[in-house]
Amino acid sequence: MATIIIDPLTRIEGHNKWTVTVNTDGYVEEANSTGTLFRGFENILKTRDPRDAPQITQRICGV
Amino acid sequence: MASVRCIDDALGITLNENGRLLRNIIHGADTVMSHILHFYHLSAVDFIDVSALGSPWGPQFGVTSNAPLLPIDVQNLLPTPDCIVLNYVKALDIRRDAHTLGAIFSGRQPIQNAIVPGGVSCMVTKTDIDTARILCNKIRNFINTAYLVDVVTVASRTAALGDSNALTYWTAGTNPGHLLAYGEYPFFNEPFQTKTDLLLDRGTVAYPPAALVALSLTSIKERVKYSYYTAATDNLHPSVGVTTPLSSLTSPSLETAQENGPQYSWLKAPRYGGLAHEVGPIARMVATYLANSTGANTHTVSDIGAGISDFNTILSALSATVLPTPAAYTVQDLVTSALDAVSDRVGVVLTANNLFSPLGRHACRALECKYIADALGGDVDGLGSWLDQLTLVAATDFDALDSAAANNVAFGYTYYPIPKKLSLSGTGLAEAPRGALGHWISIVDQKIANYQCVVPTTWNNCPKGSGPTDRGPSESALYGIPVCVGNPTVNSVLLNDAVLNISRMLHPYDFCIACAVHVVTPEGKELAKFKMDTDGKITKFPVDSE
């Protein structure tokens, strides 16, 4: 059994960590995806003018 | 886009024709740019051995029997072939053109100024349209002669390098076998989720793809059992969703959870009807393919345009089924042609089932890129492209516009005030380049009372949901598949194979998790540091602080 940790997974937009366990035959036994950043846009928006929402949430970008 | 649509929905806004078309054009240009970026600049290196280029590319993973890489000078399958690596460089230019095309109308891409509740604050001139058309035709020509052919080449050659496992890239990773699409590019001007006449369809699909099921938004819930959020916020519908981290970022309890608790991600785990669903180009293309096959969607786009290489000539050169004549085709026609082009080379008949695979996901993205670009600059349903359908402002009308009614047809935007004292709520759905995007807003007395975003990468990259076997889509795609032949602990070659194959499985989802803000000068000097608390309060620190 091998545990392969890819941190960060490159050539994506952002930061992502993968923990994958591979058995002795080369098959994936389990895979865990970790998002390593807190986003919190929802909390920034509270009590703001609704017309701010498009300008602010766009900064999440192409997700 | 989802954000303005949730406000449009809350206020009951119907766009004017230019507002709808301009949103399609701006959003379409962004999607086309994003897809080209993803294939060439984020994914191509998974398949092509660029180690000969030296730094910053090397060292590259070893070229082994189980994870073959194409040589750096690999040429595509055209009779007069292009080098794929040179197309990687050309793609940079084309991406700039796609951004320019959108920015003519939006002011800036991809973070647009002009898309606002009520439409697009842009007045269209003939110069705008002519400039956009020239750029669009250049992009469409690149998609026909480079992007699509290179995807077919990679998809065929990777399977033809004599590796017995190579077809795995067309068959593995079917899980979770559930697709979700909100649909995109409306043919109507009313709030987006109230109607279903779309260029790319809305609904859910289960594997094997047989039927498109109508979407029920109340079936969406977000689980946080494995995410760093308080248990009280588990299993809520996004319209009443709450984003409360386990505790403040410095508290010991969060660190304890990170070390000992089941939680392992900042992403929530959205579920539709309790099941993990995959979103993205694959969901949109399969949904539309099924709607085409039942006649529920009969929309066509066209390949015509000045200076565009005839795509049927390219398909013939690839000995694939050509698109119907005259040049008007559906998603089903396009998918059939592409699968045919690859099947011929890998010696196995590929069907729509094979789209549920790493190469299938790449193929769907490439085909969708062409379909959207052709709607933008070719033709839709014989009525002209989105650019053609825009209403122009006549040069003599500028004075009249100042006093014109808000709904002036040449202006893409109508102003709607947000009423005082009222409580309103709205849902905004859109298809971002990476998949289904939903925003839920509630407004009380002109202020945002609650807001939740459920973004495509949250669907695709989420952690487990209700329990240890309720894996997120990309987790479940990896689960149980072979990533190397034998025990990866035995030698580093097998371990490299495993890492490369895991990357090949994950990259087709086109994850986007970026949202960190760094303010630096071009030389990399930090200008300031900011800390954002979980309540959204931002504090500025001196540069040299910890």
Side-chain angles (χ1 to χ4, degrees), chain B residues 482-507:
Chain B
V483 289
C484 58
V485 182
N487 187 348
T489 56
V490 174
N491 67 52
S492 62
V493 175
L494 286 177
L495 192 61
N496 282 347
D497 279 1
V499 172
L500 183 55
N501 280 325
I502 290 168
S503 302
R504 283 175 173 174
M505 181 59 76
L506 296 176
H507 280 150

Side-chain angles (χ1 to χ4, degrees), chain A residues 11 13 32-33 43 58 63, chain B residues 42 112 456 461 464 513 534:
Chain A
R11 281 185 283 111
E13 305 282 350
N32 279 6
S33 162
N43 300 341
Q58 279 187 61
V63 293
Chain B
L42 298 179
Q112 303 96 353
N461 191 38
K464 291 166 185 64
I513 317 165
T534 53

Side-chain angles (χ1 to χ4, degrees), chain B residues 24-163:
Chain B
N24 284 356
I25 290 164
I26 295 166
H27 192 43
D30 187 37
T31 303
V32 166
M33 192 292 301
S34 181
H35 287 1
I36 295 171
L37 157 73
H38 178 259
F39 178 70
Y40 284 102
H41 304 124
L42 298 179
S43 294
V45 195
D46 285 348
F47 300 103
I48 296 174
D49 184 2
V50 291
S51 55
L53 292 176
S55 176
W57 303 101
Q60 182 63 281
F61 293 114
V63 182
T64 75
S65 60
N66 183 45
L69 287 161
L70 300 168
I72 190 167
D73 57 352
V74 63
Q75 300 194 315
N76 67 28
L77 295 161
L78 288 176
T80 49
D82 289 328
C83 178
I84 294 177
V85 173
L86 289 183
N87 285 339
Y88 176 110
V89 180
K90 275 189 206 164
L92 293 166
D93 249 353
I94 298 295
R95 281 172 51 201
R96 181 186 57 206
D97 290 338
H99 264 335
T100 309
L101 163 57
I104 289 171
F105 306 106
S106 72
R108 183 174 61 193
Q109 294 277 84
I111 301 176
Q112 303 96 353
N113 292 327
I115 298 183
V116 288
V120 177
S121 60
C122 167
M123 198 157 53
V124 182
T125 66
K126 183 145 193 327
T127 313
D128 293 340
I129 296 182
D130 289 346
T131 311
R133 189 178 285 118
I134 291 165
L135 290 169
C136 191
N137 285 351
K138 188 176 164 197
I139 296 161
R140 290 166 68 212
N141 198 47
F142 178 82
I143 295 170
N144 278 0
T145 58
Y147 184 15
L148 283 168
V149 184
D150 289 352
V151 171
V152 170
T153 305
V154 166
S156 319
R157 291 286 301 275
T158 302
L161 282 174
D163 166 27

